[in-house]
Amino acid sequence: MILATLLLLQAAYPPETEAVMNRARREATQARSSTRADALSVYLQPEVAKKLQQCIDTAIDNPDAGIAFAKKWTDGGWSADQCLGFAHARKEDWVAAVTAFERAAESAQKAVAKADAARLWAQAGNAALAGAMAAKARGAFDRALADDGLPQGPARGEAHLDRARALVALGDPAGARADLDSALQQVPQDPLAWLLSATLARRMDDLSRAAKDIAEAKRRAPDDPSVALEAGKIAVLSGDNAGARAEWTRVLSLAPSGEQAAEVREMLARLDSSAGQSR
């Protein structure tokens, strides 16, 4: 068992890879950071909201055209910068996206538009996370959560969840645990929050907490391969090789190709090898 555990831990992907959820979850994540105009606060005048929507729609179809639209919108204030950030994000130019979102957030703060400023800081944080800029992401999420700009519930919970991801990347598991606990209070229905909580608990050697939280993730996302992958890791560390094999076999049935499948096949092979050596 000890040999199998060491081999399996060496094969683990980083937390960001482990946290990739199924298509529905990824679409939900994209929707909350898509900066669509109809998700903004009442601080936008109708004509500004309409133009912002036009700019975003342009960027969706053609990111370069969206960038040009935003740059020509010289009187658009933080809305123009918001669209500029979105267009750069569509191109996966994360440095430029973060810069634009930060500038938009600063402008909204100066206008005392707390709700918009908080959302924009959260968008800056997500762009920074996507660009592997964990320290910058943490700073952005700190500012998003600094006051009452983000309402209690999903918006605030997702910001706590995303800040936890940044803190994990920065090697601060205790801080990440505090944020994940806050996220679970705000968005208990979110399977990703339970998955990340279980993964963090496993990495902190709290297998009891890990097993409890992965069970919650499975209840909310029973057909998600990422959940089954993590459930198998928790099972093998708990001495349940049969349970781990069952979970990883489910991963192959749910997602037979890609990085997760390759990881699972390697871990199953090592599990088989370890079992053979113990006979």
Side-chain angles (χ1 to χ4, degrees):
M1 176 60 198
I2 293 175
L3 175 60
T5 297
L6 291 174
L7 292 173
L8 289 165
L9 288 178
Q10 290 172 3
Y13 278 94
E16 291 302 308
T17 301
E18 292 176 355
V20 174
M21 299 293 280
N22 60 16
R23 182 172 62 85
R25 176 60 192 150
R26 291 197 300 272
E27 288 176 352
T29 301
Q30 183 179 22
R32 81 168 184 266
S33 61
S34 67
T35 71
R36 293 190 64 81
D38 56 7
L40 299 179
S41 77
V42 296
Y43 290 101
L44 291 184
Q45 296 297 318
E47 62 273 16
V48 176
K50 181 179 179 180
K51 192 164 185 177
L52 174 57
Q53 191 64 69
Q54 291 174 343
C55 185
I56 289 171
D57 289 341
T58 300
I60 290 172
D61 293 334
N62 184 332
D64 287 325
I67 290 170
F69 188 122
K71 288 183 175 179
K72 289 180 181 178
W73 189 10
T74 56
D75 62 347
W78 77 75
S79 295
D81 279 328
Q82 182 176 22
C83 182
L84 183 62
F86 178 75
H88 281 303
R90 292 283 294 178
K91 291 189 68 173
E92 299 187 4
D93 185 349
W94 303 115
V95 172
V98 170
T99 299
F101 282 133
E102 287 178 338
R103 188 165 57 240
E106 294 280 9
S107 296
Q109 277 190 303
K110 289 177 182 177
V112 199
K114 288 198 304 182
D116 282 336
R119 291 189 182 99
L120 289 163
W121 282 120
Q123 288 161 15
N126 275 294
L129 273 179
M133 296 173 275
K136 185 171 278 292
R138 179 189 58 188
F141 290 124
D142 285 347
R143 298 188 73 167
L145 291 162
D147 55 31
D148 297 328
L150 288 177
Q152 299 293 317
R156 198 164 189 86
E158 297 293 352
H160 278 293
L161 188 156
D162 290 331
R163 187 169 66 178
R165 293 166 58 210
L167 291 170
V168 167
L170 291 169
D172 182 4
R177 168 49 60 203
D179 264 323
L180 281 174
D181 287 345
S182 294
L184 289 173
Q185 290 179 359
Q186 299 283 339
V187 284
Q189 74 283 0
D190 189 340
L192 179 57
W194 291 104
L195 171 60
L196 289 176
S197 183
T199 300
L200 181 62
R202 169 176 62 80
R203 290 176 176 271
M204 297 178 74
D205 297 322
D206 186 352
L207 293 180
S208 176
R209 173 73 186 267
K212 180 180 74 71
D213 288 357
I214 201 64
E216 292 291 343
K218 287 173 66 175
R219 188 163 68 86
R220 290 164 174 78
D223 295 325
D224 194 293
S226 294
V227 173
L229 175 61
E230 181 59 36
K233 292 179 179 181
I234 294 167
V236 79
L237 289 173
S238 302
D240 182 7
N241 287 4
R245 188 182 301 279
E247 292 290 354
W248 289 336
T249 301
R250 286 188 68 244
V251 173
L252 294 178
S253 67
L254 293 167
S257 61
E259 288 185 349
Q260 289 177 329
E263 180 185 7
V264 162
R265 289 189 177 96
E266 182 178 358
M267 291 192 296
L268 284 171
R270 292 180 176 183
L271 195 59
D272 289 339
S273 176
S274 178
Q277 292 174 14
S278 65
R279 292 193 184 107

